[in-house]
Amino acid sequence: MSCGKEHGKVRTEKGRYKLDGKFHHSEPNTPIFNENGKLMGVTNPRDMTYVHSYGGEAIFFESLGKGKIMASRCDNPNCESRGSVFMPFRIHCPDCLMKSTVMDITEKAKTTAKVHTFMITARTGAFNPLPKPVKFVNVEFDGVVTILMGYLAVGEPKMDMRVVPIFNTKSPTYTILDLFWVPEGTPEASLPEGYTFD
Amino acid sequence: MITFSEKQLKIPKMTRPVYLVTGGMSKFGRAIPEKRTEELCIDALTEAAELIDHTPAQLKKYIHTCYYGHFADHFGDQLLGEAVIHDRLGLDPLGNIGIKTGGATGGSTLWEAYKTVASGYSDCTLAMGWERMDEVPTDEGNHLISCAADKDWETPLGHMYTGYYAVMAQKYWKVFGKEEASFRKAMAEIAVKNRGYGRMNPHAHGGKKITVEDVLNSPTVAHPLRALDCCLMSVGAACGILADEKTAYEMTDNPLKIDIGAGSHTLRVADRRKMEIPLLPNETKEQYADLGDRFPGGDRYPGFTGFLAARMASYYAYNMTGIHDPTEDLDLVELHDAFTISDIQTYEDIGIRPYGEGRTYVESGDCFRTNPHTGEPGKLPANLSGGLIGNMHAVGATGIMQVVEVAHHLWNRWGEMHGNEEKWKRFGRERPADWKDLQVKGAKRGLAISHAGVGSHVTCTILQHPDHILERRD
């Protein structure tokens, strides 16, 4: 996509992937010589598109574009972790392995989310789409046993700072990048393009 | 899992003792365009053979099963690279298998080779690890490493693994470092120490004479981690040869008893639920009763400040070998200093210091070969190889390199293996005019920690000189 190439698209039909378009783009290799003109090796250009299933986590990624955060809870009465709420979402309880119950924690996130720890970096790996510096926040919620990693889109992170979620509802990517965080009280006008509070 | 059953806490009991017979390493570098991976592996195996006065062909005659550690196929774009190396080493038709546990790949490779000898399946095994991290540009390398985080929930957030450690550094600095500048300085001292030791190692490519100020003024990678706080990205290979007692003494007069424990924890730090601190032999429950009072926030264990996998690996390994207090019972350690902060975290996880007090291992001078405060030998020198910061991090080879480096001390051959002028020249490097033999005098026992991800897999390897074997704890 970065090269302006058309990449293939995928849908499923009757439980099978249906692929349409081009999924790889071939380019010729080039030789590598040393300063004396001696052959050292070759380059191997490669451009591929992977097809990835979200499986039971699809509900989480689909809900972000609708302004919702879906978590999971173990409701197995015989499990020592019964009632534990997990965010990141877990399809199955890590203790009893029973299928978890999907639950909406959007309001809980809006009213209780705070920064557990954070990080700021101006150096990122290849393929990073986020504006630099990138600010990670690890967000804890009341009544949730785990801590979610996310991106702070506005302001400077601090520990224990109250944050609220914002969602890429205008043109969702159906990835974790549809969920960002901003400090509580951030005006709507300050949100990145395409992101809303609901 | 936040509670453990008795069966899960069982101390492993091997069917027969296992010995490290020899080991070897290639040159390590950021890029080694003049050699294929197989050449680096052959260099490592040749060094291992020569160390016990064998030819490679003679050494190979003993090997019965092979374990190959290689973290990232996608770096070299070669699946089944293990089969390539196995063929080029001329070890067909022996059984072989590839091991992949991220940064702990080297330690895990030894772990498998160890269990195979202990079980009786083989009398002699090869553990060979390598990594080829020069076949993509650095930013793509960082992306590929970040694929070892959760690709849906974490990797898209910056594609930068250092960031996942930086959030731990922030939390640890606030909770246990109390946001003191002196804590940040202790972190920097680790980088100065390890890069300094790396200067004495001909295999190393990260050796450098630097100061604390250099570290604190180096470019920020992911605040508060700076460039000199971070490990290297390397190319190279290392190997170890393990055997049962009878075979080991056929091959050499000086095998070292080897034992390995392993632990794990969630790939995402996000998923780590609060739990009680599992105790090591030198700890009591009471000593942590007021941890949250002394260090507010420190009672959310392991949270973002501890590595449960390292704690469990050392729990198994210490009880298997009879280690009560690592500082008293060991003579040196090689730790997985991927970042200066994770080095400090590990001091606590493996019981060198209690939780909350890791910095004192540095500040006391105990972790140095020569204590800078007293001029006397440090109590428990750490990372005399230079570690991952000053020597290398060719991922699949790292955990094996650490064990070989510890072994050189127990064999009293560190100076010979690192001071040899011919080796410095062969690696295209100049031995420093102030080169110093870092041999730990009279070393009897040592430890190596091999660590993956943000603590997803950890192995704890204990080497003991056969004349100084402790009694296991049951």
Side-chain angles (χ1 to χ4, degrees), chain A residues 46 52 57 60 80-81 89-90 95 116-121 123-127 136 138 145-147 159, chain B residues 1 3 77 139 143 151-153 157-160 166-167 170-171 174 219 221-223 270-271 273 300:
Chain A
R46 192 69 44 80
H52 173 51
E57 285 185 3
F60 171 80
E80 61 189 51
S81 295
F89 187 99
R90 298 184 75 110
D95 292 331
H116 183 76
T117 185
F118 66 92
M119 179 284 306
I120 303 169
T121 183
R123 289 194 190 185
T124 58
F127 310 114
F136 287 177
N138 300 83
V145 298
T146 49
I147 295 172
M159 276 180 221
Chain B
M1 178 169 53
T3 57
D77 199 17
D139 64 339
H143 160 71
K151 75 175 192 176
D152 290 327
W153 293 76
L157 298 167
H159 298 249
M160 186 70 174
V167 297
Q170 286 285 2
K171 194 69 183 177
K174 181 175 173 74
V221 177
H223 182 70
D271 292 310
R273 289 176 282 167
R300 183 173 178 136

Side-chain angles (χ1 to χ4, degrees), chain A:
Chain A
M1 275 172 271
S2 58
C3 310
K5 293 169 184 163
E6 280 296 316
H7 283 252
K9 293 189 169 50
V10 185
R11 62 193 164 83
T12 66
E13 194 177 294
K14 295 178 182 169
R16 291 189 169 193
Y17 287 117
K18 297 287 181 185
L19 277 56
D20 184 27
K22 204 166 179 189
F23 281 77
H24 63 270
H25 297 266
S26 298
E27 291 176 34
N29 68 286
T30 56
I32 303 168
F33 296 109
N34 75 2
E35 61 273 42
N36 301 317
K38 187 180 168 217
L39 180 69
M40 303 299 284
V42 292
T43 65
N44 286 319
R46 192 69 44 80
D47 182 343
M48 295 168 61
T49 299
Y50 284 89
V51 178
H52 173 51
S53 169
Y54 277 147
E57 285 185 3
I59 181 80
F60 171 80
F61 292 103
E62 191 170 20
S63 298
L64 296 179
K66 299 171 185 167
K68 298 284 179 198
I69 301 176
M70 309 307 281
S72 60
R73 183 183 63 219
C74 177
D75 283 338
N76 177 3
N78 300 318
C79 178
E80 61 189 51
S81 295
R82 182 190 181 190
S84 293
V85 178
F86 297 93
M87 174 49 54
F89 187 99
R90 298 184 75 110
I91 303 164
H92 295 267
C93 167
D95 292 331
C96 67
L97 303 186
M98 291 284 284
K99 195 100 184 241
S100 299
T101 304
V102 178
M103 61 180 292
D104 184 343
I105 63 160
T106 315
E107 280 311 304
K108 189 191 284 280
K110 287 180 177 176
T111 53
T112 73
K114 64 177 184 177
V115 174
H116 183 76
T117 185
F118 66 92
M119 179 284 306
I120 303 169
T121 183
R123 289 194 190 185
T124 58
F127 310 114
N128 168 57
L130 296 170
K132 295 179 193 176
V134 173
K135 296 162 189 173
F136 287 177
V137 283
N138 300 83
V139 181
E140 56 180 75
F141 314 93
D142 285 356
V144 175
V145 298
T146 49
I147 295 172
L148 177 68
M149 180 181 282
Y151 173 76
L152 187 76
V154 174
E156 295 302 312
K158 280 191 293 224
M159 276 180 221
D160 300 322
M161 179 172 85
R162 275 275 295 118
V163 287
V164 294
I166 59 171
F167 304 91
N168 181 7
T169 53
K170 305 290 185 199
S171 54
T173 62
Y174 303 100
T175 71
I176 194 69
L177 300 180
D178 289 343
L179 171 65
F180 287 169
W181 299 86
V182 296
E184 187 180 41
T186 299
E188 184 128 27
S190 302
L191 303 190
E193 193 181 339
Y195 284 76
T196 58
F197 285 112
D198 297 296

Side-chain angles (χ1 to χ4, degrees), chain B residues 97-282:
Chain B
I97 193 164
I99 309 293
K100 294 185 197 312
T101 58
T105 295
S108 300
T109 305
L110 283 165
W111 187 42
E112 291 303 315
Y114 160 73
K115 290 182 291 182
T116 300
V117 173
S119 71
Y121 184 91
S122 297
D123 291 339
C124 181
T125 53
L126 165 68
M128 171 75 78
W130 67 86
E131 211 65 53
R132 183 100 233 177
M133 303 178 86
D134 60 351
E135 297 207 344
V136 292
T138 301
D139 64 339
E140 289 178 23
N142 280 322
H143 160 71
L144 293 175
I145 293 168
S146 79
C147 293
D150 186 303
K151 75 175 192 176
D152 290 327
W153 293 76
E154 297 176 325
T155 306
L157 298 167
H159 298 249
M160 186 70 174
Y161 214 86
T162 311
Y164 314 137
Y165 272 93
V167 297
M168 293 191 288
Q170 286 285 2
K171 194 69 183 177
Y172 189 101
W173 190 1
K174 181 175 173 74
V175 173
F176 294 122
K178 298 183 184 278
E179 298 182 285
E180 293 167 0
S182 57
F183 175 75
R184 185 63 190 81
K185 184 169 171 281
M187 285 169 62
E189 282 178 1
I190 296 167
V192 174
K193 170 176 78 71
N194 294 357
R195 285 178 192 275
Y197 292 151
R199 291 182 63 241
M200 308 301 156
N201 184 348
H203 297 269
H205 72 104
K208 207 172 181 182
K209 203 181 253 185
I210 56 169
T211 64
V212 165
E213 287 67 36
D214 291 333
V215 179
L216 300 180
N217 294 325
S218 61
T220 300
V221 177
H223 182 70
L225 298 176
R226 291 178 176 263
L228 291 172
D229 284 300
C230 304
C231 65
L232 302 160
M233 199 184 268
S234 314
V235 175
C239 73
I241 301 287
L242 279 59
D244 70 298
E245 189 166 291
K246 179 171 173 293
T247 310
Y249 278 100
E250 272 176 37
M251 299 171 76
T252 178
D253 294 333
N254 297 301
L256 302 170
K257 187 163 184 291
I258 183 169
D259 289 284
I260 307 175
S264 68
H265 206 192
T266 58
L267 181 69
R268 296 183 298 221
V269 181
D271 292 310
R272 293 177 185 172
R273 289 176 282 167
K274 187 178 174 182
M275 60 180 292
E276 271 190 34
I277 298 174
L279 299 174
L280 294 180
N282 63 340

Side-chain angles (χ1 to χ4, degrees), chain B residues 65-69 82 95-99 109 112:
Chain B
T65 307
C66 305
Y67 290 90
Y68 295 117
E82 301 85 0
N96 76 83
I97 193 164
I99 309 293
T109 305
E112 291 303 315

